Amino acid sequence: MKITDTSDLWWKSAVIYCLDVETYMDGNDDGIGDFAGLARRIDYLADLGITCLWLMPFYPSPDRDDGYDISDFYGIDSRLGNHGDFVEVIRTAEDRGMRVIVDLVVNHTSDKHPWFVSARRSRTSPYRDFYVWRDEPPKGEQPTVFPGEESSVWEFDERTEQYFQHVFYRHQPDLNVANPQVRDEIVKTIGFWLALGVSGFRLDAVPFFIEPPKGVDIGDPHELLRDLKRFLQRRVGDAALLGEVNLPFREQVQFFGGERGGELDLQFDFMSMQALYLSLARSDPAPLIASLTARPTVPPEAAWANFVRNHDELTLDKLSDAEREEVFEAFAPDEAQRIYGRGITRRLPPMLAGDPRRIRMVYSLLFALPGTPVLFYGEEIGMGENSEIPGRHAVRTPMQWTDGKNGGFSRAAPSRLVAPIPGDGYAPEHVNVQQQRNDGDSLLQFIRGLVSRYRTSPEIGWGSLRILEHDGAGVLAHEVSSDVGRMIAVHNFTEVPVRLKLEVGAVEEGTALLDLHGPDRLSMDARGRVDLELVPYGFRWLRVSPAGDTRIG
Ligand code: GLC
Ligand code: CA
């Protein structure tokens, strides 16, 4: 596909920022973040260069899984505001050129959702078949997603004497997608939020969602995703679906709709994220290179969503046991920093012992890989986790705005805060937006620079990847190229300086390499090779700039 306007498929060069309204900014000082508070921070996000916000669940919820247990798909949690406040945020964001996508959690509902309340009252409830009921758990039942917290995906319901299915917590009964009424309700929900102005959805737990109950034939379950995408497109032409699909690449591509596309527009690259941590643990890019090389080509309209950290445990489930152990030893030496036997409950900076060189190298890479970068709030200032909070919640603490009370998140008494703020070296007095805003050398300014470079280099988002040959140990060299340009990036995974001779390949006479983070213009020898030097954990982005190139560096 020839690219004429890279804004046509906005998600292919977006910078996505995930936040939970509840922990972002408190507008009325009751200790809980809210839409009014978020509205006041839209300018901050626009200044950072964010082009798309992803809002974690903000719906009415008993809040036993941080809002991923929804009791009303159309509502707004009253602690966070109302629909008016929501629309204000969407409008303000739109005014600053920012889109908003929202979490769509339709694999299950909360057990307090009126559908389930009715369904469990009697076997003849009109909502009974909205969920999955069995007299006995089927043989060979699938494992729970939360080992240690749940022991089975089936829960016996005393009143009606049947089991219901729940892949996640027992208070999250699975919806029955084989029931056309359920599918209609999901579509209506999507239509509702689109009408309020959202630009798409982050679809939760996709493989579980489309899987019909065991023994029920619904034809090709992917038809469900195609239906959703078609509906989205009819309502809002350029609305996008970003899916959570943590599966091996081979299976993952099916969720883009194979080569034809037509299903998810974006999928998180869980495989390369995990390989990245193994590479970091070994100071060797080889595992990441292997993953990136195996990463399938996606349909031209689709993209990989790259990320370093999300709101869940940092899952390492796709590594071998030995590899996972290596990462655990390097970055989560304490058993309390691990969860479910597969993940880590820490944020990146503490794992890298706060080494700014290493942290920056990782984020440079995040923005230099083909695809769409996704940040989790607080990453831009290098927030740490609160190690006193057990489990996945350790990384879900309030955003740190200032060095003042509660990190400027709220003026409520600290005991009333939605989550306690870290008190160690990552406390707001050390890590906050205000201080970093005024410091040209800060991580915040650094990330801001990366965002801007990424946005002005659409070859990254649109590009295809090639790993480059060189002779420098511990260095990842890759090229992204597309109709709109070509860029080379080198990243040193080691703590020693490295010299390397890089094979750029055949280029036109007079072509130079333009450093995108500094003033250098490098030239290549007749065979298209260039000599580079990298400091410990150093990196460079070099645009391949033919003679007469009119783009500014
Ligand atoms: C997704 C969410 C996670 C949640 C689960 C159940 O994996 O990211 O936070 O617990 O789905 O909804
Ligand atoms: Ca509040």
Side-chain angles (χ1 to χ4, degrees):
M1 182 171 58
K2 178 90 184 148
I3 306 166
T4 46
D5 181 356
T6 51
S7 66
D8 275 355
L9 301 167
W10 60 268
W11 56 85
K12 282 183 73 91
S13 54
V15 179
I16 302 178
Y17 186 99
C18 167
L19 67 88
D20 189 351
V21 176
E22 187 180 58
T23 51
Y24 205 58
M25 181 65 202
D26 180 9
N28 65 352
D29 292 323
D30 64 353
I32 303 164
D34 44 49
F35 281 101
L38 172 57
R40 287 197 237 142
R41 290 297 181 254
I42 296 293
D43 283 322
Y44 162 75
L45 293 160
D47 180 62
L48 183 56
I50 302 305
T51 67
C52 177
L53 295 183
W54 151 23
L55 303 183
M56 287 169 62
F58 48 79
Y59 313 97
S61 161
D63 216 12
R64 296 176 68 190
D65 182 16
D66 212 6
Y68 283 91
D69 49 330
I70 298 171
S71 54
D72 175 5
F73 286 138
Y74 299 105
I76 303 260
D77 180 343
S78 60
R79 301 170 313 149
L80 313 186
N82 58 31
H83 288 98
D85 301 310
F86 176 83
V87 168
E88 284 305 300
V89 162
I90 304 277
R91 198 214 67 89
T92 313
E94 191 185 342
D95 180 65
R96 313 298 195 270
M98 237 184 289
R99 295 167 185 271
V100 179
I101 65 173
V102 298
D103 236 301
L104 184 71
V105 189
V106 285
N107 170 70
H108 48 265
T109 67
S110 156
D111 61 353
K112 297 294 182 295
H113 193 292
W115 297 340
F116 192 71
V117 173
S118 166
R120 80 188 322 181
R121 214 173 281 141
S122 87
R123 291 196 188 195
T124 56
S125 155
Y127 294 100
R128 185 72 174 179
D129 193 40
F130 269 44
Y131 298 89
V132 183
W133 300 92
R134 293 289 179 271
D135 292 330
E136 291 295 331
K139 290 208 170 40
E141 74 168 82
Q142 64 191 103
T144 169
V145 178
F146 299 135
E149 296 184 24
E150 292 292 348
S151 50
S152 161
V153 299
W154 291 94
E155 178 74 3
F156 188 65
D157 198 54
E158 298 284 344
R159 181 160 174 161
T160 55
E161 297 188 310
Q162 275 190 316
Y163 292 83
F164 65 86
Q165 184 187 302
H166 62 91
V167 179
F168 295 95
Y169 290 113
R170 70 187 71 181
H171 56 76
Q172 291 168 320
D174 287 341
L175 281 167
N176 174 16
V177 288
N179 181 343
Q181 275 178 287
V182 167
R183 298 206 295 262
D184 288 347
E185 290 290 347
I186 293 171
V187 165
K188 259 199 301 182
T189 303
I190 292 179
F192 176 79
W193 294 104
L194 286 174
L196 288 192
V198 307
S199 294
F201 301 87
R202 178 265 186 192
L203 195 50
D204 189 64
V206 185
F208 299 112
F209 161 56
I210 67 167
E211 186 173 289
K214 216 171 187 177
V216 181
D217 183 12
I218 59 163
D220 179 5
H222 283 270
E223 196 50 47
L224 248 156
L225 283 181
R226 287 192 281 271
D227 271 351
L228 290 192
K229 177 63 192 173
R230 277 194 293 259
F231 176 76
L232 226 69
Q233 241 169 355
R234 285 202 299 277
R235 290 286 166 98
V236 175
D238 65 351
L241 281 176
L242 159 61
E244 182 199 26
V245 181
N246 178 12
L247 289 176
F249 283 138
R250 202 177 55 255
E251 292 162 61
Q252 218 179 349
V253 275
Q254 301 307 319
F255 290 80
F256 283 122
E259 276 167 25
R260 286 171 308 154
E263 297 186 31
L264 299 173
D265 302 294
L266 288 154
Q267 291 188 58
F268 297 104
D269 185 352
F270 278 97
M271 298 301 294
S272 304
M273 180 280 289
Q274 304 190 32
L276 167 69
Y277 281 92
L278 184 58
S279 278
L280 290 170
R282 292 183 180 168
S283 297
D284 174 4
L288 179 59
I289 291 173
S291 177
L292 291 172
T293 308
R295 180 153 110 155
T297 321
V298 300
E301 296 79 14
W304 292 106
N306 298 315
F307 70 110
V308 165
R309 194 64 178 93
N310 68 11
H311 61 289
D312 287 325
E313 78 279 8
L314 189 178
T315 185
L316 303 168
D317 65 335
K318 298 293 183 288
L319 300 182
S320 72
D321 291 350
E323 291 168 341
R324 189 179 315 109
E325 219 28 67
E326 276 183 75
V327 181
F328 275 160
E329 269 167 40
F331 300 134
D334 191 341
E335 190 58 45
Q337 296 164 334
R338 307 176 189 175
I339 190 167
Y340 309 138
R342 64 165 182 255
I344 297 180
T345 59
R346 313 180 73 191
R347 279 186 181 251
L348 178 80
M351 287 193 274
L352 300 185
D355 186 337
R357 303 169 304 172
R358 227 174 159 192
I359 296 167
R360 287 173 194 218
M361 190 278 285
V362 172
Y363 285 109
S364 164
L365 192 54
L366 173 67
F367 281 88
L369 287 177
T372 307
V374 184
L375 289 170
F376 180 48
Y377 77 95
E379 282 193 283
E380 73 275 29
I381 53 170
M383 271 170 58
E385 70 280 356
N386 184 341
S387 55
E388 317 246 288
I389 307 174
R392 297 185 296 171
H393 283 267
V395 301
R396 302 177 185 176
T397 58
M399 181 66 183
Q400 298 174 187
W401 297 104
T402 70
D403 62 2
K405 179 177 172 184
N406 300 327
F409 161 72
S410 169
R411 286 181 298 187
S415 61
R416 294 183 66 203
L417 294 191
V418 62
I421 285 171
D424 53 15
Y426 290 87
E429 52 177 312
H430 306 293
V431 178
N432 69 75
V433 170
Q434 186 167 291
Q435 180 267 325
Q436 295 194 25
R437 270 254 250 217
N438 300 315
D439 173 357
D441 272 343
S442 64
L443 183 64
L444 177 61
Q445 299 299 354
F446 173 76
I447 302 265
R448 197 162 160 266
L450 289 177
V451 173
S452 145
R453 267 304 174 205
Y454 172 84
R455 290 285 296 162
T456 52
S457 312
E459 60 263 51
I460 307 176
W462 285 79
S464 47
L465 176 87
R466 190 161 69 98
I467 303 290
L468 300 181
E469 299 284 320
H470 63 80
D471 58 354
V475 172
L476 166 60
H478 74 277
E479 178 192 79
V480 279
S481 59
S482 76
D483 290 351
V484 289
R486 190 168 158 206
M487 187 190 89
I488 286 166
V490 282
H491 289 83
N492 181 1
F493 277 67
T494 74
E495 58 178 3
V496 294
V498 185
R499 283 167 168 278
L500 59 134
K501 196 175 260 316
L502 189 69
E503 307 268 349
V504 177
V507 288
E508 280 170 45
E509 171 99 38
T511 300
L513 296 176
L514 209 66
D515 193 311
L516 293 182
H517 298 296
D520 286 357
R521 259 189 102 83
L522 311 176
S523 45
M524 287 155 284
D525 68 16
R527 292 168 55 194
R529 292 179 309 187
V530 65
D531 290 310
L532 293 173
E533 266 181 80
L534 290 172
V535 296
Y537 302 117
F539 52 86
R540 295 187 88 163
W541 294 17
L542 303 165
R543 177 176 294 151
V544 182
S545 177
D549 188 5
T550 53
R551 295 175 75 183
I552 46 172

